[in-house]
Amino acid sequence: MELELRAFTPPRALLQPARLLTAIGALTALVGLMVDPPRMWLHLLLVGFYLTGLGLAGMAFVAIQHATGAGWATVLRRVPEALFALLPWGALLVLAALLFGGRTLYPWMSAS
């Protein structure tokens, strides 16, 4: 028996609310950057570390299960594999917070 793998496509009914929530989140982030930049950069850095940590934890789980040859984890493996997708987003947030808000977060970056 062969499995047919298909890519996930969200239902059309969920796309509009998801886009609306994304726009609200981006607008909230922009307002936060205008009202209290140090706090917003700190929060963006924290969220970046959190997303990167989730991606690395998923990768570590899959690597350990693969290295030990654990057969029981086959059913659970798809969720940690999906967490890999968070790595680029987390890294992007960390880099953005450090590049654009680094002088606000770390005063010693502008000492020279």
Side-chain angles (χ1 to χ4, degrees):
M1 180 174 193
E2 190 172 321
L3 283 171
E4 178 187 341
L5 296 177
R6 292 180 284 150
F8 174 73
T9 55
R12 286 187 169 270
L14 290 180
L15 287 178
Q16 188 69 16
R19 288 183 182 129
L20 179 66
L21 289 174
T22 302
I24 291 171
L27 183 65
T28 304
L30 287 175
V31 169
L33 282 172
M34 286 186 248
V35 172
D36 193 3
R39 187 173 185 173
M40 192 62 195
W41 285 121
L42 182 64
H43 287 214
L44 286 175
L45 183 66
L46 182 66
V47 169
F49 282 144
Y50 181 72
L51 293 178
T52 303
L54 280 176
L56 291 174
M59 186 181 297
F61 180 80
V62 171
I64 290 169
Q65 299 308 316
H66 182 69
T68 59
W72 64 268
T74 306
V75 177
L76 302 174
R77 193 172 59 210
R78 298 294 178 216
V79 173
E81 284 176 351
L83 289 175
F84 290 176
L86 295 176
L87 281 174
W89 294 105
L92 185 71
L93 275 176
V94 168
L95 284 175
L98 290 177
L99 289 176
F100 299 116
R103 287 183 172 80
T104 305
L105 292 171
Y106 305 109
W108 52 264
M109 286 181 77
S110 61
S112 57

